[in-house]
Short mmCIF file of all heavy atoms in Angstrom, two decimals:
data_model
loop_
_atom_site.label_atom_id
_atom_site.label_comp_id
_atom_site.label_asym_id
_atom_site.label_seq_id
_atom_site.Cartn_x
_atom_site.Cartn_y
_atom_site.Cartn_z
N PHE A 123 7.10 34.03 19.70
CA PHE A 123 5.98 33.32 20.06
C PHE A 123 4.76 34.03 19.50
O PHE A 123 4.62 35.19 19.53
CB PHE A 123 5.77 33.22 21.58
CG PHE A 123 6.91 32.44 22.31
CD1 PHE A 123 8.01 33.01 22.88
CD2 PHE A 123 6.87 31.00 22.34
CE1 PHE A 123 9.09 32.33 23.44
CE2 PHE A 123 7.76 30.25 22.98
CZ PHE A 123 8.86 30.97 23.46
N GLY A 124 3.86 33.21 18.95
CA GLY A 124 2.61 33.79 18.40
C GLY A 124 1.38 32.93 18.59
O GLY A 124 1.53 31.78 19.00
N TYR A 125 0.22 33.47 18.23
CA TYR A 125 -0.93 32.89 18.30
C TYR A 125 -1.80 33.30 17.08
O TYR A 125 -1.89 34.49 16.79
CB TYR A 125 -1.74 33.19 19.49
CG TYR A 125 -2.95 32.31 19.79
CD1 TYR A 125 -2.82 31.14 20.39
CD2 TYR A 125 -4.25 32.72 19.32
CE1 TYR A 125 -3.93 30.29 20.56
CE2 TYR A 125 -5.33 31.95 19.55
CZ TYR A 125 -5.23 30.73 20.10
OH TYR A 125 -6.32 29.83 20.26
N ARG A 126 -2.34 32.34 16.40
CA ARG A 126 -3.19 32.71 15.14
C ARG A 126 -4.70 32.23 15.38
O ARG A 126 -4.89 31.14 16.05
CB ARG A 126 -2.62 32.20 13.89
CG ARG A 126 -2.64 30.64 13.84
CD ARG A 126 -1.93 30.08 12.61
NE ARG A 126 -2.59 30.23 11.37
CZ ARG A 126 -3.49 29.14 10.99
NH1 ARG A 126 -3.64 28.15 11.76
NH2 ARG A 126 -4.13 29.40 9.92
N PHE A 127 -5.52 33.08 14.89
CA PHE A 127 -6.97 32.70 14.83
C PHE A 127 -7.34 32.28 13.38
O PHE A 127 -6.96 32.98 12.57
CB PHE A 127 -7.79 33.92 15.33
CG PHE A 127 -7.53 34.40 16.72
CD1 PHE A 127 -6.53 35.51 16.92
CD2 PHE A 127 -8.20 33.85 17.71
CE1 PHE A 127 -6.32 35.78 18.16
CE2 PHE A 127 -7.94 34.19 19.00
CZ PHE A 127 -6.88 35.21 19.27
N LYS A 128 -8.05 31.18 13.29
CA LYS A 128 -8.42 30.81 11.97
C LYS A 128 -9.51 31.58 11.46
O LYS A 128 -10.59 31.68 12.04
CB LYS A 128 -8.86 29.41 12.03
CG LYS A 128 -7.65 28.39 12.18
CD LYS A 128 -8.29 26.88 12.03
CE LYS A 128 -7.03 25.95 12.19
NZ LYS A 128 -7.43 24.59 11.90
N LEU A 129 -9.37 32.23 10.24
CA LEU A 129 -10.31 33.00 9.66
C LEU A 129 -11.22 32.03 8.61
O LEU A 129 -12.34 32.34 8.41
CB LEU A 129 -9.83 34.23 8.83
CG LEU A 129 -9.11 35.22 9.65
CD1 LEU A 129 -8.44 36.31 8.78
CD2 LEU A 129 -10.04 35.82 10.72
N SER A 130 -10.44 31.15 8.09
CA SER A 130 -11.02 30.13 7.24
C SER A 130 -10.28 28.80 7.33
O SER A 130 -9.30 28.67 8.21
CB SER A 130 -11.04 30.47 5.74
OG SER A 130 -9.85 30.54 5.30
N ARG A 131 -10.39 27.87 6.53
CA ARG A 131 -9.73 26.59 6.58
C ARG A 131 -8.19 26.76 6.40
O ARG A 131 -7.38 26.13 6.99
CB ARG A 131 -10.22 25.62 5.56
CG ARG A 131 -9.60 24.23 5.78
CD ARG A 131 -10.28 23.25 4.81
NE ARG A 131 -10.07 23.45 3.38
CZ ARG A 131 -9.04 23.11 2.66
NH1 ARG A 131 -8.12 22.44 3.29
NH2 ARG A 131 -8.95 23.26 1.47
N MET A 132 -7.86 27.76 5.49
CA MET A 132 -6.42 27.98 5.08
C MET A 132 -5.84 29.34 5.62
O MET A 132 -4.67 29.42 5.72
CB MET A 132 -6.38 27.99 3.59
CG MET A 132 -6.57 26.66 3.00
SD MET A 132 -6.54 26.70 1.18
CE MET A 132 -4.92 27.34 0.86
N ILE A 133 -6.69 30.29 5.93
CA ILE A 133 -6.18 31.55 6.37
C ILE A 133 -6.41 31.87 7.79
O ILE A 133 -7.36 31.57 8.34
CB ILE A 133 -6.94 32.64 5.54
CG1 ILE A 133 -6.60 32.48 4.06
CG2 ILE A 133 -6.50 34.05 5.92
CD1 ILE A 133 -7.43 33.40 3.20
N GLY A 134 -5.20 32.38 8.44
CA GLY A 134 -5.26 32.74 9.88
C GLY A 134 -4.71 34.12 10.04
O GLY A 134 -3.79 34.57 9.42
N LEU A 135 -5.18 34.75 10.98
CA LEU A 135 -4.64 36.13 11.41
C LEU A 135 -4.28 36.12 12.77
O LEU A 135 -5.06 35.46 13.64
CB LEU A 135 -5.71 37.20 11.16
CG LEU A 135 -5.37 38.66 11.42
CD1 LEU A 135 -4.32 39.02 10.48
CD2 LEU A 135 -6.57 39.61 11.29
N GLY A 136 -3.00 36.62 13.24
CA GLY A 136 -2.68 36.53 14.64
C GLY A 136 -1.76 37.51 14.89
O GLY A 136 -1.46 38.57 14.26
N ALA A 137 -1.24 37.39 16.09
CA ALA A 137 -0.16 38.33 16.58
C ALA A 137 0.93 37.47 17.30
O ALA A 137 0.77 36.36 17.71
CB ALA A 137 -0.76 39.16 17.77
N ALA A 138 2.14 38.14 17.26
CA ALA A 138 3.33 37.54 17.79
C ALA A 138 4.23 38.59 18.52
O ALA A 138 4.15 39.76 18.25
CB ALA A 138 4.14 36.81 16.68
N ILE A 139 5.22 38.08 19.25
CA ILE A 139 6.22 38.91 19.88
C ILE A 139 7.51 38.28 19.37
O ILE A 139 7.64 37.16 19.56
CB ILE A 139 6.08 39.07 21.44
CG1 ILE A 139 7.02 39.99 21.94
CG2 ILE A 139 6.16 37.76 22.10
CD1 ILE A 139 6.55 41.44 22.00
N HIS A 140 8.35 39.15 18.84
CA HIS A 140 9.70 38.64 18.38
C HIS A 140 10.74 39.36 19.03
O HIS A 140 10.79 40.58 19.19
CB HIS A 140 9.79 38.81 16.78
CG HIS A 140 8.78 37.95 15.99
ND1 HIS A 140 9.23 36.84 15.57
CD2 HIS A 140 7.57 38.15 15.60
CE1 HIS A 140 8.25 36.22 14.91
NE2 HIS A 140 7.15 37.04 14.89
N TYR A 141 11.89 38.64 19.31
CA TYR A 141 13.11 39.15 19.87
C TYR A 141 14.00 39.05 18.66
O TYR A 141 14.44 38.00 18.27
CB TYR A 141 13.53 38.47 21.10
CG TYR A 141 14.85 39.05 21.63
CD1 TYR A 141 14.87 40.33 22.37
CD2 TYR A 141 16.11 38.44 21.34
CE1 TYR A 141 16.06 40.79 22.87
CE2 TYR A 141 17.21 39.05 21.89
CZ TYR A 141 17.15 40.14 22.59
OH TYR A 141 18.34 40.70 23.13
N HIS A 142 14.62 40.19 18.13
CA HIS A 142 15.53 40.27 16.98
C HIS A 142 16.79 40.88 17.37
O HIS A 142 16.92 42.01 18.00
CB HIS A 142 14.74 41.07 15.89
CG HIS A 142 15.65 41.32 14.66
ND1 HIS A 142 16.30 42.39 14.51
CD2 HIS A 142 15.77 40.44 13.57
CE1 HIS A 142 16.88 42.29 13.36
NE2 HIS A 142 16.54 41.16 12.70
N THR A 143 17.95 40.22 16.97
CA THR A 143 19.25 40.76 17.19
C THR A 143 19.97 40.87 15.87
O THR A 143 20.08 39.79 15.22
CB THR A 143 20.05 39.88 18.19
OG1 THR A 143 19.30 39.81 19.41
CG2 THR A 143 21.42 40.43 18.43
N LEU A 144 20.53 41.97 15.46
CA LEU A 144 21.35 42.29 14.35
C LEU A 144 22.77 42.43 14.79
O LEU A 144 23.03 43.45 15.59
CB LEU A 144 20.70 43.28 13.52
CG LEU A 144 21.65 43.76 12.34
CD1 LEU A 144 21.79 42.71 11.25
CD2 LEU A 144 21.07 45.07 11.68
N SER A 145 23.73 41.67 14.34
CA SER A 145 25.14 41.87 14.57
C SER A 145 25.90 42.32 13.31
O SER A 145 25.90 41.65 12.29
CB SER A 145 25.85 40.61 15.07
OG SER A 145 25.18 40.10 16.23
N LEU A 146 26.33 43.64 13.27
CA LEU A 146 26.91 44.17 12.12
C LEU A 146 28.44 43.93 12.22
O LEU A 146 28.98 44.27 13.28
CB LEU A 146 26.66 45.62 11.93
CG LEU A 146 25.22 45.95 11.67
CD1 LEU A 146 24.96 47.50 11.77
CD2 LEU A 146 24.66 45.47 10.36
N LYS A 147 29.15 43.52 11.18
CA LYS A 147 30.46 43.15 11.22
C LYS A 147 31.42 43.91 10.31
O LYS A 147 32.52 44.17 10.62
CB LYS A 147 30.69 41.61 10.81
CG LYS A 147 29.88 40.60 11.54
CD LYS A 147 30.60 40.22 12.82
CE LYS A 147 29.80 39.11 13.53
NZ LYS A 147 29.79 39.27 14.88
N ASP A 148 30.75 44.33 9.20
CA ASP A 148 31.56 45.22 8.17
C ASP A 148 30.78 46.49 7.88
O ASP A 148 29.54 46.49 7.75
CB ASP A 148 31.78 44.37 6.86
CG ASP A 148 32.61 43.21 7.20
OD1 ASP A 148 33.68 43.23 7.75
OD2 ASP A 148 32.14 42.03 6.80
N GLU A 149 31.61 47.51 7.58
CA GLU A 149 30.99 48.83 7.14
C GLU A 149 31.94 49.31 5.92
O GLU A 149 33.08 49.11 5.96
CB GLU A 149 31.20 49.79 8.25
CG GLU A 149 30.63 51.15 7.97
CD GLU A 149 30.71 52.00 9.21
OE1 GLU A 149 31.88 52.27 9.81
OE2 GLU A 149 29.72 52.56 9.63
N LYS A 150 31.24 49.70 4.95
CA LYS A 150 32.01 50.15 3.64
C LYS A 150 31.54 51.67 3.36
O LYS A 150 30.29 51.91 3.24
CB LYS A 150 31.54 49.26 2.52
CG LYS A 150 32.36 49.50 1.29
CD LYS A 150 32.01 48.40 0.31
CE LYS A 150 32.72 48.61 -1.01
NZ LYS A 150 32.45 47.63 -2.04
N VAL A 151 32.48 52.53 3.23
CA VAL A 151 32.36 53.89 2.89
C VAL A 151 33.07 54.02 1.60
O VAL A 151 34.35 54.04 1.64
CB VAL A 151 32.76 54.88 4.06
CG1 VAL A 151 32.60 56.28 3.56
CG2 VAL A 151 32.07 54.60 5.38
N GLY A 152 32.41 54.27 0.46
CA GLY A 152 33.09 54.28 -0.78
C GLY A 152 33.72 52.97 -1.06
O GLY A 152 33.05 51.96 -1.10
N SER A 153 35.09 52.96 -1.29
CA SER A 153 35.70 51.75 -1.51
C SER A 153 36.57 51.21 -0.22
O SER A 153 37.18 50.18 -0.23
CB SER A 153 36.71 51.86 -2.67
OG SER A 153 37.73 52.83 -2.31
N THR A 154 36.41 52.01 0.87
CA THR A 154 37.14 51.65 2.19
C THR A 154 36.18 50.70 3.03
O THR A 154 35.12 51.17 3.43
CB THR A 154 37.50 52.77 2.92
OG1 THR A 154 38.30 53.72 1.99
CG2 THR A 154 38.27 52.43 4.10
N GLU A 155 36.65 49.47 3.28
CA GLU A 155 35.91 48.56 4.13
C GLU A 155 36.54 48.42 5.54
O GLU A 155 37.70 48.32 5.59
CB GLU A 155 35.75 47.25 3.48
CG GLU A 155 34.71 46.37 4.03
CD GLU A 155 34.37 45.13 3.29
OE1 GLU A 155 34.38 45.25 2.02
OE2 GLU A 155 34.19 44.03 3.88
N THR A 156 35.70 48.36 6.61
CA THR A 156 36.18 48.46 7.91
C THR A 156 35.46 47.52 8.70
O THR A 156 34.23 47.33 8.57
CB THR A 156 35.91 49.84 8.60
OG1 THR A 156 36.49 50.89 7.84
CG2 THR A 156 36.67 50.01 9.98
N SER A 157 36.09 46.72 9.56
CA SER A 157 35.50 45.74 10.50
C SER A 157 34.86 46.56 11.66
O SER A 157 35.63 47.43 12.22
CB SER A 157 36.39 44.73 11.02
OG SER A 157 36.77 43.87 9.98
N ILE A 158 33.62 46.33 11.95
CA ILE A 158 32.97 46.95 13.15
C ILE A 158 32.27 45.80 14.04
O ILE A 158 32.18 44.64 13.64
CB ILE A 158 31.89 47.91 12.67
CG1 ILE A 158 30.81 47.34 11.80
CG2 ILE A 158 32.58 49.04 11.88
CD1 ILE A 158 29.65 48.17 11.47
#
Side-chain angles (χ1 to χ4, degrees):
F123 292 96
Y125 190 86
R126 68 184 278 275
F127 298 94
K128 287 186 177 183
L129 298 178
S130 70
R131 186 175 66 85
M132 293 178 55
I133 299 173
L135 186 62
I139 186 90
H140 290 272
Y141 181 79
H142 175 263
T143 301
L144 171 66
S145 298
L146 296 175
K147 306 279 186 214
D148 297 307
E149 180 178 58
K150 188 175 179 183
V151 180
S153 62
T154 305
E155 193 167 320
T156 309
S157 292
I158 60 172

